[in-house]
Amino acid sequence: MLKRTLTLLITSYSLLAIGSKPVTKDGISGNFDLGLNFTKNTENTFQFHNVAFLNYKKGNSSFDLKNNIAFISKTGEDELLNKGEQNLKFSLDANNLDANITIQHLYDISRSIKNRYTSGVGISYNFNNEDHKKISIGLSALREKELTLNSENKLQNRVSSNFNIMIRITKNITLNTINYYQPNIEQIGDFRCKTNLSFRVNLSNYFLLNINSNFNYDSMPEKGIPEADYQLINSISYTF
């Protein structure tokens, strides 16, 4: 099943490369966020949060580089935990159909993940791509290699589907929601769900206020780790 999915995605990617048309805006853009987070998991924690995002566009292709890290302090304890995620993504746009290749590194001590490396190839379709409203769906094939804190190695194949909405409520306020469903194609009942809901408020031409809510669900977490957790993240963002 994974081979068929990869074949379909790679074929679609090749067709995009032939029939794509250039994007008019070229150059470098990005943002840098700093914030304080509240996390409810096995216990309440406070964390310092930093996101750095860089995008480079040239014609119909773009490169995204994202570094997301958090330092976590447990309530009543001196132990400092950390979690983070690094993403590299290449995208090719053709009208409303996009293709992408991704590489991700993730670590999350609070969920017993020492390192998780993921590579994927996918496509997405934009139903509406206007300045004030964007709606899209996507499908990707993922290959994961994970090392837990208990030194257990896992190699998994997953399919990831996503549904994204962006709505500009007013001139200065934007609502974004991203939703993922990622089943393990080799083990029935093993799946993950992820939801991000964010409000972005323009404070000036370069500064934004971000209010983010993240929900994660893993049907088969490590022993002693709850299936669900969420984060509330407030940060100030500098854009360029």
Side-chain angles (χ1 to χ4, degrees), residues 153-171:
N153 281 291
K154 298 180 179 180
L155 194 60
Q156 299 178 346
N157 297 312
R158 293 182 181 271
V159 173
S160 177
S161 59
N162 62 279
F163 176 62
N164 309 333
I165 299 177
M166 185 282 289
I167 299 175
R168 193 179 300 278
I169 301 174
T170 67
K171 181 179 179 181

Side-chain angles (χ1 to χ4, degrees), residues 88-130:
L88 178 63
K89 179 179 179 180
F90 169 73
S91 301
L92 186 62
D93 304 330
N95 297 321
N96 292 325
L97 191 64
D98 304 334
N100 60 78
I101 299 173
T102 59
I103 300 174
Q104 180 191 80
H105 169 239
L106 180 144
Y107 58 93
D108 190 343
I109 305 303
S110 65
R111 300 196 65 80
S112 192
I113 302 172
K114 186 174 183 180
N115 287 293
R116 178 191 291 163
Y117 298 95
T118 304
S119 59
V121 57
I123 56 175
S124 63
Y125 181 78
N126 301 310
F127 292 97
N128 191 313
N129 198 17
E130 302 174 3

